[in-house]
């Protein structure tokens, strides 16, 4: 009995070559098959699908890389533009830029000397500056205190809005510039500006940077016409600190009105709060003629009305 001879093998065509011929749809005419064409065609089909998927993945990866490169180039260009601005180089006469958006001088001012806190309908970030600070043309209320005393939380609480414009940080001493937050009414007329001044005490910065902060702070506190009140924030949980007392004495040398605010009272018992407040008043040499201490909590809102009242009285007196 004559055995079956595979014509492909007789022609020197291996099985691998035969699969390749089927996959590329170049199967020779007239060649006998061994009954496995359907299985080979299925394998070829799966192989083509796999190749297609790999090609699609490469295309997607390439698009992502191109998009990432474009974003990095844009950020680099923006950074170079900011670093080359006159503001960054210590020049004057140009509109400086902030860390997030260009500072836009208020187009409209309410022109009023007083307003009610409930009239505040909007707040926007005005910019971060050290020198050549633009004029806001509205009263400014500044906040200063130790790092982690709660300046950002106090500002957010005073606005009375859900929007938290002042960013809080878990790392003390992050604020090393003067940050402006402009309040406006329902008609988008500017009412006042809340100013976040750099903290002190816990900030891990060098002596040179610390001295630089002191220089532009002194300039702001002494020359700023719009500045009506400086709220000195004291952590009610702490006993009198030498840095707080030194700051109080320094601020009082400037013409601006001051107001001492004891923060984070929601974390204190009434007896401990009274004890620490009395100790601070004695250490600071406060008398009955001095301004009253305001006990404030950004969590419960206690003291918010009193702080606004102190601000409005300072604005009206100027």
């Amino acid at each position: 009995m004559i055995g079956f001879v595979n014509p492909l093998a007789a022609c020197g065509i291996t099985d691998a070559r035969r699969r390749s011929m089927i996959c590329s749809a170049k199967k020779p005419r007239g060649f006998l098959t061994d009954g496995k064409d359907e299985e080979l065609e299925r394998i070829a089909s799966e192989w083509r699908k796999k190749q297609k998927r790999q090609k699609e993945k490469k295309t997607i990866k390439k698009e992502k890389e191109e998009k990432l490169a474009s974003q990095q180039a844009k950020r680099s260009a923006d950074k170079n533009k900011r670093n080359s601005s006159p503001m960054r180089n210590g020049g004057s006469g140009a509109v400086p830029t902030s860390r997030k958006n260009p500072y836009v001088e208020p187009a409209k001012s309410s022109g009023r000397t007083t307003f009610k806190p409930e009239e505040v309908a909007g707040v926007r970030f005005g910019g971060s500056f050290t020198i050549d600070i633009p004029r806001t043309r509205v009263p400014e209320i500044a906040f200063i205190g130790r790092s982690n005393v709660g300046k950002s939380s106090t500002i957010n609480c005073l606005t009375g809005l859900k929007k938290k414009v002042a960013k809080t940080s878990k790392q003390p001493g992050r604020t090393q510039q003067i940050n402006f937050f402009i309040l406006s009414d329902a008609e988008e007329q500017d009412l006042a500006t809340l100013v976040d001044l750099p903290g002190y005490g816990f900030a891990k910065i060098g002596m040179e940077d610390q001295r630089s902060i002191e220089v532009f702070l002194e300039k702001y506190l002494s020359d700023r016409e719009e500045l009506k009140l400086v709220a000195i924030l004291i952590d009610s949980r702490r006993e009198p600190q030498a840095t707080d007392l030194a700051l109080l004495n320094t601020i009082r040398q400037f013409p601006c009105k001051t107001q001492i605010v004891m923060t984070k009272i929601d974390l204190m018992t009434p007896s401990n709060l009274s004890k620490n407040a009395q100790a601070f008043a004695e250490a600071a040499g406060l008398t009955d003629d001095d301004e009253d201490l305001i006990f404030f909590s950004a969590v419960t809102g206690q003291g918010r009305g009193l702080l606004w009242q102190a601000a409005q009285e300072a604005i009206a007196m100027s």
Side-chain angles (χ1 to χ4, degrees):
M1 189 173 176
I2 303 175
F4 175 78
V5 179
N6 189 328
L8 293 178
C11 295
I13 300 177
T14 63
D15 290 342
R17 175 59 177 164
R18 182 167 176 263
R19 294 191 189 94
S20 177
M21 292 169 64
I22 294 175
C23 292
S24 59
K26 294 182 179 179
K27 184 169 60 177
R29 293 183 180 180
F31 276 23
L32 299 178
T33 64
D34 55 3
K36 298 182 179 180
D37 286 348
E38 293 181 359
E39 178 67 14
L40 293 174
E41 184 61 32
R42 183 186 66 79
I43 294 174
S45 176
E46 292 179 355
W47 181 82
R48 286 194 292 267
K49 290 179 180 179
K50 182 179 179 181
Q51 292 294 105
K52 183 178 180 181
R53 288 195 298 269
Q54 291 178 348
K55 185 176 180 180
E56 290 175 349
K57 289 182 180 180
K58 290 181 179 179
T59 302
I60 294 174
K61 182 179 179 181
K62 184 177 180 181
E63 291 176 351
K64 288 183 178 180
E65 291 176 349
E66 292 177 350
K67 184 178 180 179
L68 180 61
S70 176
Q71 292 175 347
Q72 291 177 344
K74 184 178 179 181
R75 285 195 293 267
S76 178
D78 293 341
K79 183 177 180 180
N80 292 336
K81 184 178 180 181
R82 290 194 300 268
N83 292 338
S84 61
S85 67
M87 175 66 180
R88 298 288 181 174
N89 295 328
S92 60
V95 178
T97 58
S98 73
R99 64 187 178 196
K100 290 186 178 179
N101 58 290
Y103 178 88
V104 179
E105 190 169 321
K108 297 186 295 182
S109 174
S110 63
R112 293 177 293 171
T113 57
T114 59
F115 61 91
K116 297 180 180 180
E118 52 268 25
E119 293 183 59
V120 177
V123 57
R124 68 181 187 276
F125 177 65
S128 297
F129 307 97
T130 55
I131 58 174
D132 296 337
I133 304 174
R135 297 296 182 183
T136 58
R137 299 189 295 190
V138 291
E140 294 177 0
I141 306 163
F143 301 84
I144 193 170
R146 289 176 64 87
S147 300
N148 202 32
V149 75
K151 295 193 303 297
S152 298
S153 299
T154 301
I155 290 173
N156 288 329
C157 179
L158 275 183
T159 65
L161 305 174
K162 293 183 179 180
K163 179 181 179 182
K164 307 300 182 183
V165 66
K167 305 301 181 182
T168 58
S169 174
K170 294 182 180 180
Q171 181 179 353
R174 295 292 296 176
T175 303
Q176 298 182 17
Q177 293 177 303
I178 301 177
N179 299 318
F180 291 78
F181 305 96
I182 304 175
L183 306 179
S184 57
D185 59 16
E187 298 179 356
E188 297 185 352
Q189 292 183 330
D190 296 320
L191 300 173
T193 300
L194 305 182
V195 184
D196 184 6
L197 300 177
Y200 60 90
F202 294 138
K204 296 181 180 180
I205 58 177
M207 293 297 296
E208 184 176 349
D209 293 334
Q210 183 66 45
R211 180 53 187 164
S212 176
I213 291 176
E214 292 175 358
V215 169
F216 68 72
L217 269 181
E218 290 176 2
K219 179 175 177 58
Y220 172 78
L221 294 172
S222 59
D223 298 340
R224 193 70 173 175
E225 294 181 5
E226 294 91 337
L227 181 60
K228 306 305 179 184
L229 178 69
V230 177
I232 304 174
L233 307 188
I234 306 296
D235 193 336
S236 64
R237 303 172 298 173
R238 314 296 180 190
E239 295 181 354
Q241 302 291 313
T243 50
D244 291 334
L245 300 174
L247 173 70
L248 179 60
N249 293 331
T250 300
I251 297 296
R252 284 175 168 173
Q253 297 177 11
F254 297 100
C256 52
K257 181 175 174 55
T258 61
Q259 174 63 59
I260 301 175
V261 181
M262 305 289 289
T263 64
K264 302 186 179 183
I265 63 171
D266 54 286
L267 302 177
M268 296 288 290
T269 62
S271 59
N272 288 336
L273 177 61
S274 176
K275 176 183 176 181
N276 287 354
Q278 182 64 30
F280 180 82
E282 293 178 357
L286 301 181
T287 64
D288 294 338
D289 295 332
D290 292 319
E291 71 273 8
D292 295 330
L293 298 177
I294 292 180
F295 298 102
F296 186 89
S297 170
V299 176
T300 65
Q302 183 177 347
R304 178 175 179 270
L306 292 176
L307 186 51
W308 267 123
Q309 181 180 344
Q312 290 173 324
E313 290 176 356
I315 294 173
M317 290 174 58
S318 59

